[in-house]
Amino acid sequence: MKKVILLVTFILLLMGCQATDNKDSINKTTIQESSLKNFIDEHADLEIVYTLVADINGDYKPESFLVSGKSDPKLWYINNDGKGSVIIEADGCSYLSTELVDRGKEKHIAFMGFYEPSNTNLWVIRMEEGMPKIVFEFMADWEIRVAKNRFDMIWKDYNSNPEEGGYDLVVDKYFWDEKQSKYIKE
């Protein structure tokens, strides 16, 4: 009987610890959402096209990002005080998408813009020492696809014989190498 009581007590203690961790995580997320809202309120002139509040680096503290502008888009990092800094200025392009991609122990942000006539630019951000850093950039003259564990870069390989002309589409695959902290071509 004592073993059962000890086991039940232990389980209840663990549940209480988990509830405290969840409440702390919810409070941190609320603070980040509030900081993001304050930044947006202070910069009402910005055309906001995307916002993100998520734990990027796995430290149980959410980070805030936003994208402003459909043309000449900018990716911003918003700190806990509601102060923003531009990470990427994609002048001359149209906003395409922003995706949160899972890379094992951490998440990365894939920010893409489109340049006429058929070029897609990808910038990949990760958190390093509490600050966002661009860890990969690539321009494909056809398309970029976000896959489960990689990026697929599709580009035109032009025929070297000018009489034949034309091109073939080629796919390069880039995987995240956690040991080297960079994307490696397959």
Side-chain angles (χ1 to χ4, degrees):
M1 182 68 171
K2 284 183 179 180
K3 288 181 182 179
V4 172
I5 292 172
L6 283 172
L7 183 60
V8 170
T9 303
F10 182 70
I11 291 171
L12 289 173
L13 283 171
L14 285 177
M15 289 173 56
C17 290
Q18 184 179 6
T20 302
D21 288 345
N22 287 341
K23 188 184 290 186
D24 189 41
S25 178
I26 291 168
N27 287 339
K28 289 175 184 172
T29 301
T30 303
I31 290 168
Q32 273 310 111
E33 288 172 350
S34 176
S35 297
L36 183 61
K37 182 183 179 318
N38 290 342
F39 178 83
I40 292 170
D41 289 346
E42 288 178 19
H43 297 86
D45 57 321
L46 291 178
E47 175 190 21
I48 308 298
V49 294
Y50 181 84
T51 61
L52 171 68
V53 176
D55 179 12
I56 305 300
N57 55 357
D59 65 354
Y60 303 104
K61 298 175 187 170
E63 289 81 28
S64 296
F65 297 86
L66 70 79
V67 175
S68 65
K70 291 179 185 173
S71 296
D72 301 321
K74 292 178 176 57
L75 177 64
W76 297 75
Y77 170 68
I78 313 303
N79 68 18
N80 291 342
D81 298 329
K83 304 293 182 210
S85 57
V86 175
I87 304 167
I88 297 168
E89 288 188 65
D91 293 333
C93 82
S94 299
Y95 175 68
L96 194 55
S97 70
T98 304
E99 294 187 40
L100 185 62
V101 292
D102 191 344
R103 294 296 183 240
K105 294 180 181 178
E106 63 184 321
K107 294 173 180 49
H108 293 175
I109 298 171
F111 176 75
M112 287 189 261
F114 180 76
Y115 293 90
E116 294 292 341
S118 63
N119 298 314
T120 303
N121 206 129
L122 166 73
W123 295 268
V124 181
I125 298 2
R126 74 183 286 233
M127 296 299 289
E128 287 186 6
E129 299 177 12
M131 294 301 296
K133 179 182 177 192
I134 298 172
V135 292
F136 186 62
E137 182 177 352
F138 192 93
M139 183 177 288
D141 65 357
W142 191 261
E143 181 181 14
I144 297 175
R145 294 183 191 145
V146 179
K148 181 178 188 258
N149 61 348
R150 68 181 190 272
F151 292 106
D152 293 341
M153 311 306 187
I154 303 158
W155 53 277
K156 299 173 199 164
D157 183 19
Y158 289 94
N159 190 329
S160 59
N161 181 347
E163 291 177 11
E164 281 186 37
Y167 58 85
D168 293 319
L169 291 179
V170 177
V171 178
D172 287 335
K173 297 176 181 182
Y174 288 85
F175 293 84
W176 177 248
D177 185 313
E178 199 168 308
K179 290 179 184 174
Q180 297 183 49
S181 293
K182 66 180 187 177
Y183 281 89
I184 305 289
K185 183 177 174 180
E186 177 184 59

